[in-house]
Amino acid sequence: MGGPTLSAAIDRRRGAVSRRTSFRIRERTTMSHDASLGSFVSFRRACRRSRFAGLRAVCLCAWLLFAGVAAADPVVALQAVQQLESDHSAMYQRMQVAYGAHRRGDDARARQALMGAADYAVRLSGGLAELRTANQDTLDRGLYRDRVALERALADIAIAEQRLDQLIETLLAATQYLDPTSFYLISSDAAAFDEPFLAALGSTRQS
């Protein structure tokens, strides 16, 4: 996708991160150099949790305005799964480019790759909403083969959506804050997202 509305959503969220960058830098400079990574990570997460309360609403409005939600049935759900897998792979490719660029000291390239990863993460958010709609419709209409698997997929999608919100904000924050802790947070949030995300795709296929 990536139309004007989607770009505007990304720009608004980048602005939210930028406005708070100076606050985060002042807070970091007061920390002891020998503070543990665990304490610093907890501090970083606490500072950014309240900033993205409307995150999914912004993502989904952009996605639905640009793409629309098709009439849902099992075939639509499987098509959504395929698109989600493609976007997931693209997101990880860009994250790997960002890691490599940062190690080489090419921060401009790293930031560009992180923005690309965030863009695909937003696409994933819209795709998960479409998959949730399709699966719920399949459940309501009794078109499933395995009701337990379908209900499990819906539960996993809900968890994946919450964790994806956190991953998106981490990716956007990292474009302002390129350091080892930022990349540690990206890896941690991505792993937390992958567990319910991949489970949801598997359960959807099974259902």
Side-chain angles (χ1 to χ4, degrees):
M1 300 296 174
T5 308
L6 182 58
S7 299
I10 288 290
D11 291 340
R12 285 195 296 273
R13 292 165 62 179
R14 290 185 69 186
V17 173
S18 298
R19 286 193 297 273
R20 292 166 176 81
T21 299
S22 59
F23 166 76
R24 293 161 62 108
I25 292 174
R26 289 196 300 271
E27 291 292 337
R28 279 173 58 118
T29 57
T30 62
M31 299 177 66
S32 170
H33 289 294
D34 62 352
S36 68
L37 179 60
S39 297
F40 188 31
V41 167
S42 297
F43 168 78
R44 292 276 295 276
R45 288 201 190 285
C47 287
R48 59 192 172 86
R49 257 182 223 288
S50 63
R51 299 202 310 271
F52 295 90
L55 182 64
R56 189 178 301 123
V58 172
C59 296
L60 299 189
C61 284
W63 178 274
L64 297 178
L65 285 172
F66 196 79
V69 175
D73 59 35
V75 174
V76 172
L78 291 177
Q79 291 172 343
V81 165
Q82 293 175 351
Q83 186 61 53
L84 282 164
E85 289 175 333
S86 175
D87 289 341
H88 183 259
S89 177
M91 180 184 72
Y92 264 93
Q93 288 172 0
R94 283 152 182 78
M95 286 165 57
Q96 289 298 326
V97 170
Y99 295 151
H102 180 62
R103 284 195 297 269
R104 295 191 304 272
D106 187 352
D107 286 352
R109 176 60 176 150
R111 287 189 173 90
Q112 181 182 25
L114 287 172
M115 282 306 306
D119 182 36
Y120 274 100
V122 171
R123 292 170 186 253
L124 284 171
S125 183
L128 282 171
E130 184 177 354
L131 181 60
R132 172 166 39 80
T133 299
N135 280 348
Q136 186 62 57
D137 185 73
T138 298
L139 180 64
D140 294 343
R141 293 162 59 187
L143 301 177
Y144 47 81
R145 296 188 306 268
D146 186 334
R147 182 187 179 96
V148 173
L150 186 57
E151 290 176 337
R152 186 167 59 246
L154 286 166
D156 285 330
I157 289 170
I159 297 171
E161 287 179 318
Q162 292 176 357
R163 294 183 181 179
L164 181 58
D165 285 353
Q166 182 165 298
L167 175 57
I168 292 171
E169 71 176 67
T170 299
L171 287 166
L172 292 174
T175 65
Q176 304 293 326
Y177 230 25
L178 282 176
D179 60 16
T181 301
S182 294
F183 285 100
Y184 171 83
L185 288 170
I186 291 171
S187 296
S188 176
D189 290 349
F193 163 67
D194 279 353
E195 182 180 359
F197 173 74
L198 296 175
L201 301 192
S203 295
T204 297
R205 283 200 172 95
Q206 182 181 344
S207 66

